[in-house]
Amino acid sequence: MAKGYRGGMPSTGGGKSMNMMKQAQKMQQELMRMQEEMEAKTFTAASGGGMVKATVNGKHELTELAIDPEAVDPEDVEMLQDMVIAAVNEAMRTADAESAASMSKLTGGMNLGGLL
């Protein structure tokens, strides 16, 4: 036997690995909770001075579209289409921004590059 050998298994730092696993599981649970909360939220944006309002949910689904009758001009359908697109896109950007802010709080600002 080698001099100084005391027997037993060598230490592999298993305690640190277990702690990291627990932290990862906790973060994953928190992420799932946050995703559920985001999916339940709605985000509304308007365009054309409020003549068109679009509401999306956290799943990026358009859930409501309100168009003021004054915005409907048969001679200028293109303008109405542009207002609808602008309102929907702004509502989506708002949802994305809130999601990113929530994710940043969870990860402490770390960029995990698609791991979560």
Side-chain angles (χ1 to χ4, degrees), residues 18-34:
M18 289 298 283
N19 191 28
M20 285 179 59
M21 289 289 287
K22 287 180 184 178
Q23 287 177 341
Q25 287 174 341
K26 183 178 178 183
M27 185 180 279
Q28 185 177 25
Q29 290 170 347
E30 183 66 17
L31 175 64
M32 288 172 37
R33 183 191 62 78
M34 186 185 352

Side-chain angles (χ1 to χ4, degrees), residues 13-86:
K16 287 183 181 179
S17 294
M18 289 298 283
N19 191 28
M20 285 179 59
M21 289 289 287
K22 287 180 184 178
Q23 287 177 341
Q25 287 174 341
K26 183 178 178 183
M27 185 180 279
Q28 185 177 25
Q29 290 170 347
E30 183 66 17
L31 175 64
M32 288 172 37
R33 183 191 62 78
M34 186 185 352
Q35 285 176 328
E36 288 173 1
E37 287 178 4
M38 280 299 299
E39 289 176 359
K41 289 184 177 185
T42 59
F43 305 89
T44 302
S47 66
M51 295 185 83
V52 174
K53 294 179 184 171
T55 301
V56 299
N57 63 21
K59 295 180 196 178
H60 288 93
E61 298 169 333
L62 181 64
T63 59
E64 186 176 340
L65 181 64
I67 300 174
D68 185 317
E70 290 183 30
V72 180
D73 179 358
E75 300 297 318
D76 195 3
V77 173
E78 197 171 293
M79 175 67 83
L80 178 58
Q81 292 168 336
D82 289 345
M83 287 190 290
V84 169
I85 291 169

Side-chain angles (χ1 to χ4, degrees), residues 38 43 60 90-104:
M38 280 299 299
F43 305 89
H60 288 93
E90 183 58 30
M92 295 285 191
R93 280 191 289 274
T94 303
D96 287 342
E98 186 165 325
S99 179
S102 295
M103 182 62 69
S104 181

